[in-house]
Amino acid sequence: MGGQIPEGSEVGIKEVGPIRVASVQHSGPYEDIGRVLMDLFRWVLINGGKVASYPMAILPLESQVDPKEQLTFEACIPVAFDTPVKGDSQVKIREIKAAKVAFIQHSGSFSTIDDSYDRVLGWIKDNGYQVAGPGRELYLTNPTEHSDEDLRTEIQIPVEAVRH
């Protein structure tokens, strides 16, 4: 069975950011994202950070189209702009610039998320846009607290209008 797109959850376009994040780079299988985010979340709290939004991962889009055992991704915990947290040798504090994104909400297991990527990438191509950066996954539900069918992930892909 393919990925589930919640009823009424079509591809849309919106402006997001800027976002200040605590981030770490990681190379490994897609399944590592949850563990890396949990470790980063604990780091933010221990170091006086104030979590500002949903955890996210920034991923190269080719990893979603053709999954690989090893991919390099950036795990990010959004932190308030006024939070005093400072980075260290492992964790960077940085700002992700504002962007126009095409987005869709994926419902269900991460094993079927490629269907949602295919849908949003097709929409981008069919609607006069082109990809302008790596994909983002915002984790709207915690996989340790929800069953696979109850997981919700917003996929965001930065876009720009195709120039003729």
Side-chain angles (χ1 to χ4, degrees), residues 43-64:
W43 183 95
V44 168
L45 295 178
I46 289 168
N47 287 279
K50 180 178 165 194
V51 176
S53 188
Y54 297 108
M56 62 190 276
I58 299 175
L59 305 139
L61 290 173
E62 57 272 9
S63 297
Q64 292 304 321

Side-chain angles (χ1 to χ4, degrees), residues 132-163:
R136 305 170 182 180
E137 293 181 1
L138 278 71
Y139 305 105
L140 308 178
T141 53
N142 183 338
T144 64
E145 298 172 358
H146 293 85
S147 63
D148 277 1
E149 62 268 7
D150 292 331
L151 295 176
R152 301 288 180 272
T153 306
E154 183 172 295
I155 298 168
Q156 298 180 350
I157 300 177
V159 296
E160 60 189 16
V162 173
R163 297 196 168 99

Side-chain angles (χ1 to χ4, degrees), residues 14-73:
K14 65 182 175 181
E15 296 283 337
V16 297
I19 308 165
R20 184 173 184 233
V21 297
S23 75
V24 294
Q25 293 286 329
H26 182 81
S27 290
Y30 184 81
E31 293 76 24
D32 281 0
I33 293 173
R35 179 186 53 78
V36 174
L37 282 170
M38 290 302 291
D39 291 346
L40 182 57
F41 183 78
R42 280 191 285 279
W43 183 95
V44 168
L45 295 178
I46 289 168
N47 287 279
K50 180 178 165 194
V51 176
S53 188
Y54 297 108
M56 62 190 276
I58 299 175
L59 305 139
L61 290 173
E62 57 272 9
S63 297
Q64 292 304 321
V65 176
D66 182 20
K68 297 172 179 56
E69 282 301 307
Q70 291 282 74
L71 69 114
T72 298
F73 61 89

